[in-house]
Amino acid sequence: MMKKTIYLLLLCLLFATASFAQNAKALAEAERYFSVKSYDAALPKFLEAIQAGEKDPTVHYKTGVCYEKSPELSEQIKAIPYFEYAIKNGKGWPTTLYYELGSIYLKDENLQKAIESFTKFRELSNKADKKAMAQADDAIQTCHNAVALMSVPRNFKVNYFNSPLVNTKYTEYNPIVSADESAMAYTALRPNTGKTRTGDKFIEEIYISYNDHGSWSEPKVIPIAHDYNVGTAGMSPDGQKMIIFMGGSTDPGGLYQITKTGDLWGKPSLLTPNLNTPKYLESTASITPDGKTIYFASDRLGGLGGLDIYKTTLQANGTWSNPVNMGAPINSKANEDAPFIHPDQKTLFFTSDGHNSMGGRDIFVSKLIDKTWSAPENMGYPVNTTANDNYFTLIADGTRAYFSSDRKGGQGGQDIYYMDLPAESANIPLTMIKGKILNAETGKPMPTKLYVIDNKTDKKLDFVYDPDPETGNYLVILPPATDYDIVIESEGFLPYTLNVNIPNQSYFYELYQMINLKTIKQFDVVVGQEVQVKNAFYDTDQEVKSNLRKTHEAKLVQTGNVDVYDMMLDLMASGDKDGITYLTDLIQMKDPIEDVNFNEKENSRIEVATRTYYYDESDESKFEQKKVDGKTIFSLPTFVFNEEAKKTKEQVNKKSNFDKAALTKAAKIYFDAGKSDLKAQYNPQLDAILAELKKSPDLGVEILGFASAEGTEELNRELSNKRAIAILDYFNHKGIVRRRIVAKGYGATKDVATTKEEGRRVEVRVVDLNEEETKK
């Protein structure tokens, strides 16, 4: 029995010695990693020692430091029990430990303990150390801010962007979204696969996803040839231009621009010549819809502290002004970053770790009132938390916002979130025109520029828009109670002006527009162009408000913010047929420009206006001169939609007023073989027709050109056209404008019984122009 007891004691001693040796080895390795600040390698070794029974407060303190140094908030919070153990069981800690513990309590939203810890830090610090005192006071005030804001939550519903294709265990941040929510780009920090750069464990790349009826597509990398990190910085409201950040080996980083054509993004170019600085950081930017003002963040000299928000404006001579610091109350001694100017140009969102932040970086909003920016207002809880909440962007109608945060509950690092705003805060009085310009003959877009001119500011240029050359789509955002001219320049057509009068509405609505351009030819000669505008513009009445609300509700259903399955079960159980129909409509509802039915016969909401421009009626004296972008554009007379729509409707029912006997007037003009010269012997017949035309503006002349069948088809068509043009010129030179001439070329006659002489003819007759119009 004694031998067995001794054996067990020796065995326990052996295990204890081995355990001690193993523990000592783990601690030695942990200390070695810790000394070179390799905290991720030191942490598991410290934990191994603690699990083996290590009680030393210093080991627990260093374990807490390892957790604290993690980039993940969920890991940082794990430092709390180890710091608490160290404080309880050890002595002589630096006073900064209480500040560090308070910061982690704050991130964990344990506000009372955070205040206690920060207060302890202040008590133990040297009162003569003004920096420490200010640091403590700021931290305590931040906690009180958090208590106040969290005690009165805002009526915002914050949603995690629940897509494994977007949010991952890595970092995703700075979502930038087009005004119509059709595209979202963001910056992602991903492990380096070695395909792009060597030496970096992680690299930043830009991803983009497109919104198809509420379903976001798989994000794709936008390939940008660059040796260093790139990231999102801002997006134009129409989603056609993106502002990106690019860093360098010696340059902290600046702002550049890329432009979209179809599905492809071009190479980066400077955003403006005088915006970036060689030694300082320009991080993020936002451009107004009119393209005249850029707000951006920089830490250049002359700021109030850290990053500040600046702005530069487009001057009358086409150059950009020197950037101006926005000063107080926007900027503070802390960092202000990620400005986002809403399309209303009166609401500025930005990120700051100053002002009345409730911890980390918070999102603030300021309003432009009487040319002065209001004191920034904290967006409050749950938009902001005690973690980092930043990079805020709001879509044009004010119903939804996107931002990134490293708050608790994410998958890793920063993640992307969005929130739905209540109707009362989302009622932004803006008009968003989503349109498409096509060549009516080909059904395809053509290179086009849109020059928007504010008629209330002496024809001053507002912005030049470039519709997507692959789709013809454009997006223009206009404020209420404003009269605009849009000068449209499309390849192959003369410039023309479309007037848009925006009513003084008190809420947001979307207007859809389709423009079709067609050349007018007379015997293969272009003599004018037809502009047809179809508007799905809705009256600003309560019915439309209901439709818009339905559109917004559809977004909630289609993106999963409403549990459709449970809702449908409830409706079925209650026998609510109207509710079931309404919910089904929401699920299926679509509103992008491609899905608008512009067939006016099928969609009663469509208004149509057509204007035909004949160039012989538009000599230079009749052209309108537009001062645009430093040059003069000669535009065809302004197309006022309401006026032209009224004329288009009236034309359908217009009754002609003339003696019907005039329609019997006709003539046949014969030509010599291979010739197109008009013989003087036919002048009296043509003058007789001319006399009838002068009696009534409702009368026109139809010219039908023929040729005999001797030559090739192409030669015959060309010859018949020349003969018809000779007759056309005769009337045109006598004062009959081309608008009153109906031209038709038939080429060689197909009637084998027709003589060669009969084939070489042009038929002329008087026609009813109103009747001809209805045939189109």
Side-chain angles (χ1 to χ4, degrees), residues 60-112:
H60 285 255
Y61 165 73
K62 290 181 177 180
T63 302
V65 171
C66 291
Y67 274 122
E68 181 192 20
K69 299 298 182 182
S70 170
E72 302 290 337
L73 184 143
S74 58
E75 292 296 296
Q76 295 171 18
I77 292 172
K78 294 178 181 179
I80 290 175
Y82 296 97
F83 280 164
E84 288 177 336
Y85 180 94
I87 290 173
K88 182 179 180 180
N89 296 283
K91 295 181 179 179
W93 303 116
T95 56
T96 53
L97 174 57
Y98 292 96
Y99 186 89
E100 293 167 6
L101 180 56
S103 298
I104 302 173
Y105 279 138
L106 179 61
K107 292 177 182 179
D108 194 35
E109 299 182 359
N110 194 334
L111 302 180
Q112 191 54 47

Side-chain angles (χ1 to χ4, degrees), residues 181-477:
E181 204 178 11
S182 63
M184 177 183 70
Y186 60 93
T187 307
L189 187 66
R190 296 283 187 269
N192 189 358
T193 60
K195 295 179 181 178
T196 52
R197 300 198 301 269
T198 58
D200 294 334
K201 291 183 178 180
F202 288 84
I203 58 172
E204 286 181 325
E205 293 179 305
I206 297 174
Y207 283 75
I208 190 162
S209 176
Y210 295 99
N211 188 352
D212 182 13
H213 308 147
S215 177
W216 289 94
S217 66
E218 180 181 352
K220 301 292 185 183
V221 174
I222 296 179
I224 298 173
H226 189 54
D227 293 334
Y228 299 93
N229 286 332
V230 297
T232 48
M235 181 180 283
S236 63
D238 62 3
Q240 291 296 116
K241 294 181 175 63
M242 190 186 302
I243 303 171
I244 65 171
F245 168 85
M246 295 199 301
S249 58
T250 57
D251 182 1
L255 299 171
Y256 298 81
Q257 178 178 274
I258 57 176
T259 302
K260 179 173 173 282
T261 300
D263 293 329
L264 301 177
W265 291 87
K267 295 181 179 179
S269 61
L270 280 174
L271 184 57
T272 67
N274 60 345
L275 191 148
N276 291 328
T277 54
K279 296 182 180 180
Y280 299 97
L281 170 68
E282 284 75 40
S283 59
T284 49
S286 179
I287 189 167
T288 54
D290 61 10
K292 292 162 59 178
T293 306
I294 298 174
Y295 296 84
F296 68 97
S298 174
D299 65 354
R300 63 187 62 194
L301 289 176
L304 274 66
L307 283 165
D308 277 358
I309 296 174
Y310 292 76
K311 75 172 183 177
T312 176
T313 56
L314 185 64
Q315 302 176 107
N317 62 3
T319 63
W320 288 89
S321 68
N322 290 324
V324 176
N325 190 298
M326 292 192 69
I330 301 297
N331 293 318
S332 70
K333 64 181 180 179
N335 293 290
E336 280 72 42
D337 193 7
F340 173 76
I341 185 70
H342 187 267
D344 67 2
Q345 301 190 49
K346 297 178 181 179
T347 310
L348 179 69
F349 299 92
F350 62 92
T351 298
S352 177
D353 53 11
H355 297 291
N356 61 328
S357 167
M358 58 183 289
R361 295 187 295 272
D362 279 3
I363 298 163
F364 293 83
V365 60
S366 176
K367 297 280 188 177
L368 185 62
I369 304 172
D370 295 330
K371 298 182 179 181
T372 301
W373 290 100
S374 65
E377 177 188 354
N378 192 301
M379 289 287 287
Y381 182 83
V383 179
N384 291 319
T385 65
T386 57
N388 291 304
D389 309 287
N390 34 218
Y391 304 111
F392 185 91
T393 180
L394 180 68
I395 65 174
D397 66 5
T399 61
R400 182 168 296 162
Y402 292 78
F403 64 98
S404 56
S405 175
D406 62 359
R407 64 184 62 194
K408 292 193 296 183
Q411 289 200 48
Q414 291 193 59
D415 286 319
I416 294 173
Y417 293 79
Y418 65 92
M419 69 176 188
D420 298 302
L421 282 77
E424 61 269 18
S425 62
N427 207 12
I428 298 175
L430 286 176
T431 294
M432 182 165 67
I433 303 176
K434 298 173 74 174
K436 181 188 287 283
I437 299 179
L438 298 176
N439 185 319
E441 296 171 73
T442 64
K444 296 180 180 179
M446 64 239 115
T448 298
K449 282 188 178 296
L450 277 64
Y451 303 91
V452 180
I453 300 172
D454 186 344
N455 289 327
K456 293 187 177 180
T457 55
D458 300 324
K459 306 290 183 182
K460 188 177 180 181
L461 169 69
D462 268 339
F463 195 39
V464 180
Y465 290 84
D466 293 296
D468 189 321
E470 294 291 325
T471 63
N473 292 350
Y474 59 89
L475 185 150
V476 179
I477 296 177

Side-chain angles (χ1 to χ4, degrees), residues 674-676 707 714-724:
K675 301 292 184 179
S676 59
E714 178 62 27
L715 180 62
N716 288 330
R717 186 181 64 81
E718 183 179 344
L719 190 56
S720 70
N721 284 350
K722 286 182 178 180
R723 289 166 176 164

Side-chain angles (χ1 to χ4, degrees), residues 492-524:
F493 296 87
L494 289 183
Y496 59 98
T497 301
L498 178 64
N499 178 261
V500 179
N501 196 332
I502 303 300
N504 189 22
Q505 82 271 20
S506 59
Y507 57 91
F508 179 92
Y509 65 100
E510 292 174 285
L511 310 178
Y512 299 97
Q513 187 173 74
M514 173 76 78
I515 299 177
N516 286 293
L517 302 178
K518 183 171 64 177
T519 56
I520 299 173
K521 295 180 181 180
Q522 290 179 342
F523 305 114
D524 291 340

